[in-house]
Short mmCIF file of all heavy atoms in Angstrom, two decimals:
data_model
loop_
_atom_site.label_atom_id
_atom_site.label_comp_id
_atom_site.label_asym_id
_atom_site.label_seq_id
_atom_site.Cartn_x
_atom_site.Cartn_y
_atom_site.Cartn_z
N VAL A 38 128.39 181.57 88.62
CA VAL A 38 128.05 182.67 89.52
C VAL A 38 126.55 182.74 89.73
O VAL A 38 125.77 182.37 88.85
CB VAL A 38 128.58 184.03 89.00
CG1 VAL A 38 130.08 184.03 88.94
CG2 VAL A 38 128.00 184.39 87.65
N ASP A 39 126.18 183.19 90.90
CA ASP A 39 124.77 183.43 91.21
C ASP A 39 124.70 184.83 91.79
O ASP A 39 125.10 185.04 92.93
CB ASP A 39 124.23 182.39 92.18
CG ASP A 39 122.73 182.49 92.36
OD1 ASP A 39 122.17 183.58 92.08
OD2 ASP A 39 122.12 181.50 92.76
N ILE A 40 124.19 185.74 91.02
CA ILE A 40 124.19 187.15 91.44
C ILE A 40 123.19 187.43 92.55
O ILE A 40 123.19 188.51 93.11
CB ILE A 40 123.94 188.09 90.24
CG1 ILE A 40 122.59 187.82 89.59
CG2 ILE A 40 125.06 187.96 89.23
CD1 ILE A 40 122.23 188.78 88.47
N TYR A 41 122.38 186.45 92.90
CA TYR A 41 121.37 186.65 93.94
C TYR A 41 121.72 185.97 95.26
O TYR A 41 120.99 186.10 96.22
CB TYR A 41 120.00 186.19 93.45
CG TYR A 41 119.58 186.94 92.21
CD1 TYR A 41 119.53 186.33 90.97
CD2 TYR A 41 119.27 188.30 92.29
CE1 TYR A 41 119.17 187.03 89.84
CE2 TYR A 41 118.92 189.01 91.15
CZ TYR A 41 118.87 188.37 89.94
OH TYR A 41 118.52 189.08 88.81
N LYS A 42 122.81 185.22 95.31
CA LYS A 42 123.19 184.56 96.55
C LYS A 42 124.12 185.43 97.37
O LYS A 42 125.12 185.94 96.86
CB LYS A 42 123.89 183.22 96.26
CG LYS A 42 122.96 182.11 95.91
CD LYS A 42 123.69 180.80 95.84
CE LYS A 42 122.74 179.70 95.41
NZ LYS A 42 123.43 178.47 95.10
N LYS A 43 123.78 185.57 98.61
CA LYS A 43 124.60 186.34 99.53
C LYS A 43 125.93 185.63 99.76
O LYS A 43 125.97 184.42 99.91
CB LYS A 43 123.84 186.49 100.86
CG LYS A 43 124.53 187.33 101.88
CD LYS A 43 123.69 187.39 103.13
CE LYS A 43 124.46 188.13 104.21
NZ LYS A 43 123.77 188.08 105.48
N ASN A 44 127.00 186.37 99.77
CA ASN A 44 128.35 185.88 100.08
C ASN A 44 128.99 184.99 99.03
O ASN A 44 130.08 184.49 99.24
CB ASN A 44 128.38 185.14 101.43
CG ASN A 44 128.07 186.04 102.59
OD1 ASN A 44 128.38 187.23 102.55
ND2 ASN A 44 127.45 185.49 103.61
N PHE A 45 128.33 184.77 97.90
CA PHE A 45 128.92 183.93 96.86
C PHE A 45 130.32 184.42 96.49
O PHE A 45 131.24 183.65 96.28
CB PHE A 45 128.01 183.91 95.63
CG PHE A 45 128.71 184.19 94.35
CD1 PHE A 45 129.37 183.19 93.69
CD2 PHE A 45 128.77 185.47 93.84
CE1 PHE A 45 130.07 183.46 92.53
CE2 PHE A 45 129.45 185.75 92.69
CZ PHE A 45 130.11 184.74 92.03
N PHE A 46 130.51 185.73 96.41
CA PHE A 46 131.76 186.30 95.94
C PHE A 46 132.92 186.06 96.90
O PHE A 46 134.08 186.29 96.56
CB PHE A 46 131.61 187.80 95.67
CG PHE A 46 131.07 188.58 96.84
CD1 PHE A 46 131.92 189.05 97.81
CD2 PHE A 46 129.71 188.81 96.96
CE1 PHE A 46 131.44 189.75 98.89
CE2 PHE A 46 129.21 189.52 98.04
CZ PHE A 46 130.07 189.98 99.01
N ARG A 47 132.64 185.54 98.09
CA ARG A 47 133.72 185.27 99.04
C ARG A 47 134.63 184.14 98.60
O ARG A 47 135.72 183.96 99.16
CB ARG A 47 133.14 184.98 100.42
CG ARG A 47 132.53 186.24 101.04
CD ARG A 47 131.96 186.01 102.39
NE ARG A 47 133.00 185.54 103.31
CZ ARG A 47 132.74 185.07 104.52
NH1 ARG A 47 131.50 184.98 104.94
NH2 ARG A 47 133.71 184.67 105.29
N ILE A 48 134.24 183.36 97.59
CA ILE A 48 135.14 182.31 97.12
C ILE A 48 136.05 182.79 95.99
O ILE A 48 136.90 182.03 95.53
CB ILE A 48 134.39 181.02 96.72
CG1 ILE A 48 133.69 181.14 95.39
CG2 ILE A 48 133.44 180.58 97.82
CD1 ILE A 48 133.26 179.80 94.83
N VAL A 49 135.91 184.04 95.58
CA VAL A 49 136.76 184.59 94.52
C VAL A 49 138.25 184.40 94.83
O VAL A 49 139.01 184.02 93.93
CB VAL A 49 136.42 186.07 94.23
CG1 VAL A 49 137.46 186.72 93.34
CG2 VAL A 49 135.03 186.16 93.58
N PRO A 50 138.72 184.61 96.07
CA PRO A 50 140.15 184.38 96.33
C PRO A 50 140.60 182.94 96.03
O PRO A 50 141.73 182.72 95.59
CB PRO A 50 140.31 184.71 97.82
CG PRO A 50 139.18 185.64 98.11
CD PRO A 50 138.05 185.19 97.24
N HIS A 51 139.73 181.96 96.25
CA HIS A 51 140.07 180.57 95.94
C HIS A 51 140.21 180.39 94.43
O HIS A 51 141.14 179.73 93.95
CB HIS A 51 139.00 179.62 96.47
CG HIS A 51 138.89 179.63 97.96
ND1 HIS A 51 139.76 178.95 98.76
CD2 HIS A 51 138.01 180.26 98.78
CE1 HIS A 51 139.42 179.13 100.03
NE2 HIS A 51 138.36 179.93 100.07
N VAL A 52 139.27 180.96 93.68
CA VAL A 52 139.31 180.86 92.22
C VAL A 52 140.56 181.56 91.70
O VAL A 52 141.29 181.02 90.86
CB VAL A 52 138.03 181.48 91.59
CG1 VAL A 52 138.12 181.46 90.07
CG2 VAL A 52 136.79 180.74 92.07
N LYS A 53 140.83 182.74 92.23
CA LYS A 53 142.01 183.51 91.80
C LYS A 53 143.30 182.73 92.07
O LYS A 53 144.18 182.65 91.21
CB LYS A 53 142.06 184.85 92.52
CG LYS A 53 143.25 185.68 92.16
CD LYS A 53 143.30 186.98 92.93
CE LYS A 53 144.55 187.74 92.53
NZ LYS A 53 144.80 188.88 93.37
#
Side-chain angles (χ1 to χ4, degrees):
V38 297
D39 188 338
I40 61 176
Y41 301 109
K42 281 188 183 170
K43 183 181 174 186
N44 295 329
F45 130 83
F46 55 86
R47 290 180 60 190
I48 76 165
V49 169
H51 296 280
V52 176
K53 179 182 179 190

